[in-house]
Amino acid sequence: MNITGTLKFTLSALAVLLVVHAFFVFKFHEASSVRNVFIDHRHQAGHRARETLPQGFVPVVIRSEHFSSNSLYLPEALRSSLYTNPGQASQFNPNGSCCEMAALKGKAPTPKNIQCEGICHTERACKDPLYPFETQADATFFREKTWNATNLPQLRKKCTEKNRLLHPPFQWCRQWMVADYAYHSENVETLKREIDRTKLAQHNHKNIDPLKANLPPPGCSRTSEGGGSGPFQHLTLFPSAKLAFCGIPKVSITQWLQFLRFTFGAKDYQAFPHAKPDIKLMRFDRLEEESQMKILNDPEWKFAVFLRNPAERLLSAYLDKVNGKSLRDRDHFKFMYNMTHTPTFDQFVKAIAKNRTDFELGSKTREKLWGVDWLTDPHWRPQSYSCGLSEFLPRFSFVGSLDRIEEQARALLQEVGLWDKYGKYYHRIMNTDGITSGICSLPPPVLRVEDELFGFLQLPRETNGTEEGGSYRHSHHSTGSQSKLDEYYTPELRSIVEEELYQMDVKLWKLIENEENLVSGSELALKISGQCKARAVDFTATSTLEYE
């Protein structure tokens, strides 16, 4: 081989080596991208605009004692062998060490996607059949109802009958109305009488039976995950605190589910939570009727919900689900509604403003986009249709606003005993590309001495007025809808949304939007319904029952 041939061969070999090297470098960076999120962006998230932290909140600072002697408390979700060398970045497999949850082995089909439908980085979930519960008594109480060829068709029939009503009656305080007391007609003199709120509180958690109300019954999410799924689809339970949290799509529901998994000790708590099996065990909709009735009528169980500006929530749903960045979401939407193109916001609003006349429950496609009713996609179904709010509003001890989520979420967790044990230690790192929205097996964040834990929903606000860093920094799907209201809404569209489609949501929202503190559903019922107020005045002023 001459010199020229040798040179050509050498250059060709070198080129191949460079290509191979470039490939492996690319794959290395791709594989380590998750880890870098927690390392490279850790201090950006932790030390940015510290002066704008929510009033009254002081971050927990990580000390060496958290690692060496365990003398300082950390929740289980943050305790891991990953932290044995607190001064160095931890190494882990970014694809996750995931398993089928031990409690479901042999009881449920093997997960097709072990990362999304399994539990990752959490040894207890893989080995302990009690996980996510602490006791056998809890595991028994929260057991899932068994469906068969007899009771499932019966449930489907009940769901269909109630869904055909399309709209709830908005009685608001049904438990007060069915109380066994004489009822006086509503008049000015009745409304002027004083309400005994101590007595009234005794009725907030009595006589609550959704099967006797004009609501689709619990369990309808077994027959339909979307439209027709019923009001209790997103009522989620925190067993250790006896908290029933009404998670509403497009009102930070994802963050609350991640926090629930944090309380379990799930080390992949930052992962996309919706398909995780431990979350599914906490769905009120899936429980035995006996457990459901116990929760609804037990005063030890507290109910809570956060609401959002209805116009903003609808725009957020459109920007995220209908016309968002994800081609998959856009195509899914078009398939579900047999559409050939993505509608403009004007077309979308006017489409759902049309009244539905009939439906096919459980169909693969929903065929008709229009209608804001029981069958509406949960992402823009009225908030007041959720969790029995339209019938049993006084059952909710805590009603908050997404506009004040930082202070009010902290207050709620303090009230139910979750703040000091979990809330103030919660730590969520998310890079600017929204990486947490698409990964099912995210590991726990890397912690080092002097790191600050910013608590659940307590990250500082920015001042740029967008969801990514403004009033809705905590929105899982950052659509910037708050800052885009004027851009998308014409006076005509705002009128349609606020006066026609979401009239009841607007009524509720206006009662809480300027409230700094959490409001009780009982107080809201007194303000939103003259009939509820008259009834409350009547039986609290005339009752002869003895109260504790």
Side-chain angles (χ1 to χ4, degrees):
M1 182 181 293
N2 56 30
I3 296 176
T4 303
T6 302
L7 181 60
K8 287 182 178 180
F9 175 80
T10 303
L11 290 174
S12 298
L14 180 61
V16 170
L17 288 173
L18 288 173
V19 170
V20 172
H21 173 74
F23 172 78
F24 281 105
V25 167
F26 169 77
K27 297 305 289 183
F28 171 80
H29 285 292
E30 181 181 50
S32 61
S33 61
V34 175
R35 177 168 56 88
N36 290 336
V37 167
F38 301 103
I39 298 174
D40 297 340
H41 296 278
R42 186 170 58 90
H43 291 289
Q44 293 180 28
H47 299 285
R48 185 170 46 205
R50 198 175 190 285
E51 298 78 10
T52 61
L53 281 172
Q55 184 177 4
F57 173 69
V58 178
V60 173
V61 179
I62 294 296
R63 304 300 183 196
S64 59
E65 289 83 1
H66 285 114
F67 302 98
S68 58
S69 63
N70 290 339
S71 60
L72 292 181
Y73 169 78
L74 272 180
E76 179 61 30
L78 294 177
R79 287 202 173 277
S80 170
S81 58
L82 297 176
Y83 306 142
T84 53
N85 298 311
Q88 302 176 1
S90 302
Q91 302 294 319
F92 51 77
N93 178 1
N95 292 322
S97 175
C98 306
C99 67
E100 181 180 4
M101 198 166 73
L104 298 181
K105 288 182 179 179
K107 300 179 182 178
T110 301
K112 295 180 180 179
N113 184 335
I114 194 64
Q115 291 185 340
C116 292
E117 300 172 24
I119 310 296
C120 304
H121 315 291
T122 309
E123 184 177 6
R124 184 186 168 220
C126 304
K127 296 181 177 181
D128 186 354
L130 276 183
Y131 175 88
F133 303 105
E134 294 297 329
T135 66
Q136 184 59 53
D138 279 349
T140 301
F141 181 83
F142 292 99
R143 68 182 179 275
E144 184 175 356
K145 181 179 177 64
T146 301
W147 296 99
N148 53 47
T150 299
N151 60 18
L152 188 58
Q154 293 173 347
L155 171 66
R156 184 175 287 109
K157 181 180 179 180
K158 292 178 182 178
C159 294
T160 300
E161 289 174 351
K162 294 298 184 180
N163 276 310
R164 284 193 185 279
L165 297 175
L166 295 182
H167 303 280
F170 286 102
Q171 197 169 16
W172 293 118
C173 57
R174 178 180 172 83
Q175 65 265 57
W176 295 353
M177 295 299 178
V178 298
D180 189 19
Y181 294 100
Y183 177 58
H184 297 86
S185 60
E186 181 179 333
N187 56 64
V188 175
E189 291 304 315
T190 297
L191 295 179
K192 286 182 179 179
R193 293 162 59 195
E194 186 175 351
I195 297 172
D196 186 331
R197 282 170 168 75
T198 302
K199 291 182 178 180
L200 182 63
Q202 308 299 316
H203 297 278
N204 292 341
H205 50 78
K206 292 181 179 179
N207 300 307
I208 298 179
D209 187 350
L211 297 178
K212 294 181 180 179
N214 286 320
L215 301 173
C220 288
S221 61
R222 297 290 301 188
T223 64
S224 174
E225 284 292 330
S229 56
F232 299 102
Q233 178 185 10
H234 296 294
L235 186 59
T236 304
L237 307 173
F238 287 71
S240 63
K242 291 194 172 181
L243 171 66
F245 184 81
C246 180
I248 299 177
K250 305 309 301 176
V251 192
S252 289
I253 183 174
T254 298
Q255 283 86 338
W256 284 96
L257 296 182
Q258 289 171 326
F259 177 68
L260 174 58
R261 301 193 68 241
F262 182 79
T263 68
F264 297 159
K267 300 185 190 301
D268 62 340
Y269 67 90
Q270 294 187 113
F272 191 67
H274 295 279
K276 293 293 184 179
D278 47 6
I279 284 292
K280 292 183 177 181
L281 292 179
M282 302 304 160
R283 300 287 193 191
F284 174 88
D285 223 20
R286 294 172 174 260
L287 301 184
E288 296 276 4
E289 286 92 338
E290 181 181 354
S291 297
Q292 290 174 341
M293 293 301 293
K294 173 69 173 176
I295 291 169
L296 288 169
N297 292 277
D298 183 351
E300 291 187 6
W301 275 89
K302 305 301 180 184
F303 282 59
V305 63
F306 280 82
L307 303 176
R308 186 176 187 177
N309 180 318
E312 181 187 318
R313 176 174 174 262
L314 180 64
L315 178 57
S316 179
Y318 170 79
L319 294 175
D320 177 35
K321 298 302 178 183
V322 183
N323 193 21
K325 297 178 181 178
S326 170
L327 179 61
R328 184 185 64 178
D329 284 349
R330 295 201 304 272
D331 288 345
H332 174 73
F333 171 83
K334 288 188 287 187
F335 166 76
M336 292 298 289
Y337 293 101
N338 280 351
M339 302 188 73
T340 58
H341 68 283
T342 298
T344 65
F345 185 61
D346 181 274
Q347 293 170 333
F348 172 69
V349 171
K350 290 178 179 177
I352 66 174
K354 297 178 181 180
N355 289 324
R356 191 193 312 268
T357 57
D358 201 358
F359 71 100
E360 182 183 351
L361 188 62
S363 62
K364 290 185 178 180
T365 62
R366 294 175 196 155
E367 298 181 354
K368 296 178 180 178
L369 171 61
W370 54 74
V372 174
D373 49 43
W374 281 127
L375 305 176
T376 300
D377 187 296
H379 293 91
W380 57 87
R381 184 187 299 159
Q383 297 170 83
S384 52
Y385 287 24
S386 304
C387 308
L389 286 169
S390 61
E391 288 278 82
F392 303 110
L393 181 57
R395 184 63 181 93
F396 287 78
S397 302
F398 310 105
V399 181
S401 158
L402 191 64
D403 283 356
R404 292 177 170 79
I405 189 73
E406 294 90 349
E407 292 81 6
Q408 292 182 358
R410 186 168 77 245
L412 169 61
L413 297 182
Q414 287 171 337
E415 287 284 348
V416 299
L418 289 175
W419 179 254
D420 286 339
K421 192 172 182 179
Y422 300 108
K424 69 180 183 181
Y425 294 97
Y426 189 80
H427 198 55
R428 178 172 179 254
I429 297 298
M430 177 176 176
N431 79 347
T432 54
D433 295 324
I435 196 169
T436 60
S437 65
I439 294 182
C440 297
S441 59
L442 285 174
V446 174
L447 295 181
R448 302 175 183 176
V449 174
E450 301 301 328
D451 277 356
E452 294 178 325
L453 307 183
F454 278 92
F456 181 58
L457 296 177
Q458 302 300 303
L459 282 173
R461 294 188 182 193
E462 302 279 332
T463 57
N464 60 10
T466 66
E467 279 193 348
E468 289 84 348
S471 297
Y472 290 106
R473 179 177 178 78
H474 307 294
S475 176
H476 182 70
H477 306 287
S478 297
T479 60
S481 57
Q482 187 186 40
S483 63
K484 297 178 180 178
L485 288 174
D486 292 338
E487 176 185 347
Y488 282 84
Y489 274 101
T490 64
E492 178 190 15
L493 291 183
R494 189 173 284 275
S495 176
I496 291 173
V497 169
E498 295 183 350
E499 298 176 17
E500 297 178 26
L501 302 182
Y502 298 95
Q503 186 181 37
M504 293 302 183
D505 280 11
V506 170
K507 284 186 176 182
L508 272 178
W509 175 252
K510 287 185 175 180
L511 290 175
I512 69 166
E513 64 174 328
N514 295 319
E515 293 288 341
E516 292 187 5
N517 301 317
L518 293 162
V519 183
S520 72
S522 180
E523 290 299 317
L524 293 177
L526 294 174
K527 294 177 181 178
I528 204 169
S529 168
Q531 191 177 30
C532 288
K533 183 174 182 180
R535 182 57 165 156
V537 169
D538 189 45
F539 66 59
T540 64
T542 61
S543 171
T544 58
L545 288 181
E546 294 183 2
Y547 294 88
E548 295 181 358

